[in-house]
Amino acid sequence: MKEKIGFVGSLKNMFVGVVKPEAYMKNGQHGRTWPAVIIVFAMSILLYLFTFWLPYNKLFGGGRLARTVDDAVEDFALTNDGFYYADRYQWSDGEDLTYILIDTSLKDSSAAEIESLRKEGVYRSIYVVTSSEIVTIENGRVNSLSTKDMYNYLNDIYHARSFGKQDILNIINKWDTPVLVALYIGNVLAGVIKIFFMSLMLAIVGLIIASALKVKVSLGSVYKMAIYIRTIWYSIMLLIATYVWPAKRTAMSMTLLVCAAYMFMAIYRYKSQYPDEFRKQMPVNS
């Protein structure tokens, strides 16, 4: 019986397997389970550090989100008398799906401009902020929320006479890093769960491949092998999608094909190099 492969050997085989796929089969056949679990967690922490934390922290962390909002948004105030915005703002998505208008010179949803937008029916979704209402028009149906009701709700919580741009900036500066940390941790945990689940699917493919190649392996061995294949190639493709080729959906679809190909090559090449190992396992025909 061959000696079990430990943590360092399993980690080494995961990277060596990129050029020598049979190394994955070695991990599956002779590796322990706990190194696979630790490697999945460690790789997920590192992967989302580079694909989530660093890019988004560079954009939004350290007060950068607040500065971006400060530059993009004019002064505004929400009081018991209504909402005030220092400028007129309008935006559309260019595909006639969504239109946004902020104009506090308009009093409410009865304004002629709002009625004209509703009757024209050009946009599927319209959002208009007036001095007294936030109006939404979805497929011709009009709904509104009173700005005074919004003020009363916020006043019950924060007990302020008015709420303005600086209040929003203060909230952003207080919560931008904690929210990023929470999202980073959530991405890591979701990534770990995704790897274990997708590795199980890949292991089932591996069993089919092994059966076709007349190789007798256990589900546990193929599952460990699948974990290493999925972990390294999911990491590689997500890094490529983040920094090189911004087509994440296509990259993730390619990952499935690459993992299945490596599963086949790992089993086929390992069988070719160690035929005696499987000859002992296969029943002898009389």
Side-chain angles (χ1 to χ4, degrees):
M1 180 179 179
K2 289 190 177 183
E3 184 179 349
K4 285 289 187 179
I5 302 173
F7 176 81
V8 175
S10 296
L11 181 62
K12 176 184 175 182
N13 284 340
M14 182 176 72
F15 291 101
V16 170
V18 174
V19 292
K20 296 182 177 179
E22 63 271 19
Y24 296 126
M25 189 71 171
K26 289 180 182 178
N27 277 356
Q29 288 289 89
H30 307 292
R32 302 179 188 274
T33 301
W34 65 265
V37 175
I38 293 175
I39 287 171
V40 168
F41 274 93
M43 288 293 288
S44 292
I45 290 170
L46 290 173
L47 176 63
Y48 289 102
L49 174 67
F50 287 99
T51 60
F52 178 83
W53 176 262
L54 292 180
Y56 284 94
N57 188 54
K58 185 178 180 180
L59 287 174
F60 304 124
R64 284 178 284 272
L65 177 59
R67 288 194 292 272
T68 301
V69 172
D70 190 20
D71 293 338
V73 178
E74 300 295 333
D75 287 331
F76 65 86
L78 177 64
T79 69
N80 192 43
D81 296 324
F83 180 72
Y84 164 78
Y85 188 68
D87 197 5
R88 175 186 167 96
Y89 172 82
Q90 55 184 340
W91 175 89
S92 66
D93 60 1
E95 298 180 359
D96 293 340
L97 295 176
T98 304
Y99 177 76
I100 298 174
L101 171 65
I102 301 176
D103 187 351
T104 52
S105 67
L106 303 175
K107 185 177 180 181
D108 54 35
S109 58
S110 64
E113 185 171 354
I114 298 176
E115 183 63 19
S116 176
L117 286 170
R118 186 186 69 81
K119 287 183 177 179
E120 287 173 1
V122 174
Y123 301 99
R124 184 180 300 174
S125 301
I126 301 172
Y127 304 92
V128 182
V129 181
T130 71
S131 61
S132 64
E133 290 180 324
I134 298 175
V135 183
T136 63
I137 305 173
E138 295 280 350
N139 297 317
R141 297 180 59 183
V142 181
N143 294 290
S144 64
L145 172 65
S146 169
T147 56
K148 185 172 183 179
D149 289 341
M150 285 184 60
Y151 168 79
N152 290 333
Y153 174 77
L154 293 172
N155 187 48
D156 289 340
I157 300 173
Y158 296 104
H159 307 290
R161 295 182 63 182
S162 66
F163 300 93
K165 178 179 175 179
Q166 190 57 49
D167 298 306
I168 300 299
L169 296 179
N170 291 340
I171 292 172
I172 292 173
N173 279 324
K174 180 179 179 181
W175 290 102
D176 57 356
T177 298
V179 168
L180 277 175
V181 170
L183 290 173
Y184 169 64
I185 293 173
N187 270 273
V188 169
L189 295 177
V192 168
I193 294 170
K194 187 186 296 183
I195 286 175
F196 283 130
F197 176 76
M198 293 305 296
S199 295
L200 180 59
M201 300 297 102
L202 182 59
I204 294 172
V205 174
L207 287 176
I208 296 171
I209 293 171
S211 177
L213 294 175
K214 295 182 171 56
V215 174
K216 186 177 180 181
V217 289
S218 67
L219 175 59
S221 294
V222 178
Y223 188 38
K224 280 185 288 184
M225 185 167 62
I227 287 173
Y228 290 107
I229 294 174
R230 173 71 186 181
T231 299
I232 188 65
W233 280 104
Y234 177 72
S235 300
I236 290 172
M237 298 304 287
L238 188 56
L239 285 168
I240 290 173
T242 302
Y243 292 103
V244 181
W245 184 36
K248 185 176 180 181
R249 183 175 297 179
T250 303
M252 293 302 99
S253 298
M254 290 178 61
T255 303
L256 300 175
L257 298 175
V258 171
C259 288
Y262 265 81
M263 178 65 75
F264 173 82
M265 289 188 292
I267 297 173
Y268 178 80
R269 293 183 60 165
Y270 190 85
K271 179 192 177 186
S272 299
Q273 293 183 22
Y274 305 97
D276 292 341
E277 185 172 328
F278 298 105
R279 195 172 292 131
K280 293 175 183 178
Q281 296 178 23
M282 294 297 290
V284 178
N285 294 322
S286 56

